[in-house]
Amino acid sequence: MNFLARHRIVLPIVSLAVLLAATFWMQPRAMSYFGVNLLFNLAVPIALATIAQMLIIMVNDIDLSTGAFVSLAACVTATLLNDAPLFGALVLAGLVLAYAVLGAVIHALALPAIVVTLGMSFVWGGLALVLLPSPGGASPGWIRTLMTVKPPLVPMAVVAAILIAAVTHLLVIRSGIGTMLRGVGGNARAVARSGGSVMRLKALAYGLAGLFNVLAGMALVGLTTSADANIALRYTLLSIAGVILGGGEFTGGKVSPTGAVIGALTLTLAASFLSFLRLSPDWQIGAQGAILILVLTARLLFTRRSGPA
């Protein structure tokens, strides 16, 4: 087993460090509490959505409805949760349950997740449009306060990213249920033979993903103070990229929660870095893709050079 296979976190950390150093070199003023806060301001909702995508990839599926679902959760937060907190909370809980049921149905009927989630993206998007036809709504005060709090030493975005990484690491890597979920991605038949219910485990994975997506939508509204039906559509591709950039793989249940969070931070920082380069917004998405390709190419090259131990 090679070094990078055993230490998936190394390359994501190096990638983030190099990009952060380049950003500080180009814009020294960013090397401050306020500067770092601006650089990673939108990192928390992206990190939460990336963790949600990682949970789906961990069981060998892929979710193409992440962006639309986060947008719907944001619309519910900015309207129902703000105007009628109890009812809004029930609706968000219902969305999480719907995600869990979706996972169970995909497994029970042996449906391709990529097709089902693509179809569901239109459902989530349609519900978001019905709820909020035009940009508007308002963030609940407690969410706004939580997302704008200023801890000492390091900004809230960094503190939140560390907490997300720690909690998901304990859940996915250290807990027994996390081992079972990774086992579904690694060898579902073995899990079934050992007495585990693959359908229930997939429903759990999807339910947890739905929970993290709801949290992403809430965090996004806390930062932007309003919502619209298309507010997080880019999160689908960003979440997939964050998981892979963080050392995850599409098959085998091989994921890294900490790496996924670092991948999300890297993608967030890349957007700021490209802005400092004064690159046209029309080219920024392509440039972000180029950065991702470079990192993945480096991972492939190092993996091949390391070879089997």
Side-chain angles (χ1 to χ4, degrees):
M1 184 178 291
N2 59 62
F3 180 78
L4 283 179
R6 286 182 286 116
H7 304 279
R8 295 174 179 273
I9 197 67
V10 173
L11 194 56
I13 290 176
V14 171
S15 303
L16 179 61
V18 169
L19 194 55
L20 190 60
T23 302
F24 287 158
W25 178 75
M26 287 200 59
Q27 186 57 261
R29 293 180 182 178
M31 201 183 305
S32 64
Y33 185 102
F34 181 71
V36 172
N37 187 56
L38 285 178
L39 291 176
F40 295 109
N41 188 41
L42 293 176
V44 175
I46 295 176
L48 289 166
T50 300
I51 290 296
Q53 187 71 249
M54 183 202 73
L55 291 165
I56 303 297
I57 290 177
M58 185 172 65
V59 293
N60 289 348
D61 287 347
I62 191 167
D63 186 2
L64 295 185
S65 67
T66 297
F69 188 83
V70 172
S71 296
L72 174 58
C75 290
V76 172
T77 300
T79 55
L80 301 179
L81 189 64
N82 185 52
D83 300 334
L86 180 58
F87 180 65
L90 290 174
V91 171
L92 291 175
L95 291 177
V96 173
L97 179 60
Y99 236 65
V101 171
L102 182 64
V105 170
I106 287 174
H107 176 75
L109 302 181
L111 300 172
I114 191 170
V115 175
V116 175
T117 56
L118 177 60
M120 288 304 299
S121 69
F122 297 105
V123 175
W124 306 135
L127 291 174
L129 279 172
V130 169
L131 190 60
L132 201 59
S134 59
S139 171
W142 63 274
I143 297 179
R144 178 63 179 167
T145 300
L146 179 62
M147 295 307 300
T148 56
V149 69
K150 295 182 179 180
L153 302 180
V154 291
M156 177 59 183
V158 177
V159 174
I162 293 172
L163 288 175
I164 293 168
V167 169
T168 52
H169 177 81
L170 292 174
L171 174 66
V172 174
I173 305 299
R174 295 298 182 183
S175 72
I177 194 65
T179 301
M180 292 289 286
L181 289 172
R182 285 185 286 118
V184 171
N187 192 332
R189 291 183 179 179
V191 172
R193 284 198 297 267
S194 68
S197 171
V198 176
M199 185 172 73
R200 290 181 181 177
L201 288 169
K202 276 210 170 185
L204 176 60
Y206 273 78
L208 288 172
L211 174 61
F212 278 99
N213 277 331
V214 164
L215 293 176
M218 295 172 67
L220 186 55
V221 171
L223 292 170
T224 61
T225 70
S226 62
D228 71 76
N230 301 313
I231 193 171
L233 292 186
R234 289 182 60 224
Y235 280 25
T236 298
L237 295 181
L238 284 176
S239 64
I240 296 172
V243 174
I244 304 306
L245 185 60
E249 297 182 14
F250 284 115
T251 58
K254 298 176 181 178
V255 294
S256 170
T258 304
V261 173
I262 294 175
L265 292 176
T266 303
L267 291 171
T268 305
L269 182 59
S272 300
F273 176 72
L274 294 172
S275 296
F276 289 147
L277 287 176
R278 296 182 180 179
L279 195 65
S280 168
D282 295 333
W283 290 92
Q284 285 189 17
I285 296 178
Q288 283 182 299
I291 292 173
L292 176 62
I293 291 172
L294 285 174
V295 173
L296 296 181
T297 300
R299 187 172 87 181
L300 180 61
L301 290 175
F302 283 127
T303 301
R304 288 182 175 178
R305 286 183 180 180
S306 298

